[in-house]
Amino acid sequence: MTIQEAQQKVDEWIRTYGVRYFSPLTNMAQLTEEVGEVARIISRTYGEQSVKDLGDELADVLWVVLCLANQTGVDLTAALERNFDKKTNRDAFRHLNNEKLSK
């Protein structure tokens, strides 16, 4: 599934089952909560606590990001392509020349 298809699928789900989008402020709070859950799983996976399902929590984060993109009119495919271009131009040699990364 492409990012654009994912945005469309989330929009269809919201309109069918969710009644409407939460406000951007509520979705931002929801995103913060979901990212916190991802952090907890990373801590449990690589730390000393018991493990939970990282894939499910990452999917929750993506879901809320897609909701925010849809309700604010952001085309994530275009934004991600611009982001790749930005990072490629800015960081073309930055990481290759970083001594800390060669260890």
Side-chain angles (χ1 to χ4, degrees), residues 76-87:
L76 280 176
T77 300
L80 185 58
E81 287 170 355
R82 286 191 309 272
N83 196 269
F84 268 103
D85 289 342
K86 175 186 77 175
K87 285 176 175 29

Side-chain angles (χ1 to χ4, degrees), residues 6-92:
Q7 279 189 255
Q8 290 170 349
K9 192 167 185 173
V10 164
D11 190 62
E12 289 169 11
W13 189 96
I14 293 291
R15 293 178 193 288
T16 303
Y17 302 104
V19 180
R20 65 172 179 78
Y21 284 95
F22 295 143
S23 72
L25 181 59
T26 299
N27 270 334
M28 187 63 228
Q30 188 70 32
L31 178 60
T32 302
E33 178 184 337
E34 298 298 350
V35 169
E37 291 175 3
V38 169
R40 183 181 67 225
I41 289 172
I42 295 292
S43 173
R44 288 172 183 247
T45 301
Y46 300 100
E48 288 73 36
Q49 295 180 330
S50 60
V51 177
K52 293 187 87 178
D53 184 6
L54 177 60
D56 186 51
E57 295 304 332
L58 286 170
D60 285 345
V61 169
L62 182 57
W63 178 273
V64 180
V65 168
L66 294 170
C67 285
L68 283 166
N70 285 347
Q71 72 188 125
T72 58
V74 172
D75 177 344
L76 280 176
T77 300
L80 185 58
E81 287 170 355
R82 286 191 309 272
N83 196 269
F84 268 103
D85 289 342
K86 175 186 77 175
K87 285 176 175 29
T88 300
N89 291 327
R90 181 189 68 197
D91 301 333

Side-chain angles (χ1 to χ4, degrees), residues 87-99 101:
K87 285 176 175 29
T88 300
N89 291 327
R90 181 189 68 197
D91 301 333
F93 300 103
R94 183 173 124 193
H95 300 301
L96 293 172
N97 295 329
N98 184 343
E99 292 179 19
L101 297 176

